[in-house]
Amino acid sequence: SRNRTRTLETRPARRGDVSTIRAHLDALSHGDRLLYAILGLEAVRLAREAGLDGEKADEVERVLRGVVGASP
């Protein structure tokens, strides 16, 4: 269900916590960073729907899109 999906989304994306997201990305291998970023973009989309501040969501998206865009 839709509510269940919202409870499963990653918390740093839900909070707009860019510093935690960057720390996670730094700790991951290249392939894992890419997967984290792709899933994180979906999580931030859901977070926007749930009311995440637009500026925070934009910042999270910029960080995650930087990973996706840098992938070969």
Side-chain angles (χ1 to χ4, degrees):
S1 84
R2 187 168 184 87
N3 287 337
R4 180 166 167 75
T5 301
R6 285 195 176 147
T7 64
L8 297 175
E9 64 194 49
T10 63
R11 291 294 161 208
R14 175 66 184 97
R15 294 189 310 267
D17 186 349
V18 173
S19 62
T20 298
I21 290 170
R22 284 188 174 128
H24 289 171
L25 290 168
D26 288 344
L28 296 170
S29 69
H30 174 75
D32 289 343
R33 273 194 305 273
L34 182 58
L35 179 59
Y36 182 97
I38 291 168
L39 294 173
L41 287 168
E42 179 62 14
V44 80
R45 184 189 69 75
L46 293 171
R48 278 184 190 274
E49 289 179 8
L52 178 63
D53 174 74
E55 288 182 28
K56 285 185 176 183
D58 290 346
E59 188 176 2
V60 170
E61 283 184 346
R62 275 192 296 277
V63 169
L64 296 173
R65 287 186 192 285
V67 172
V68 173
S71 181

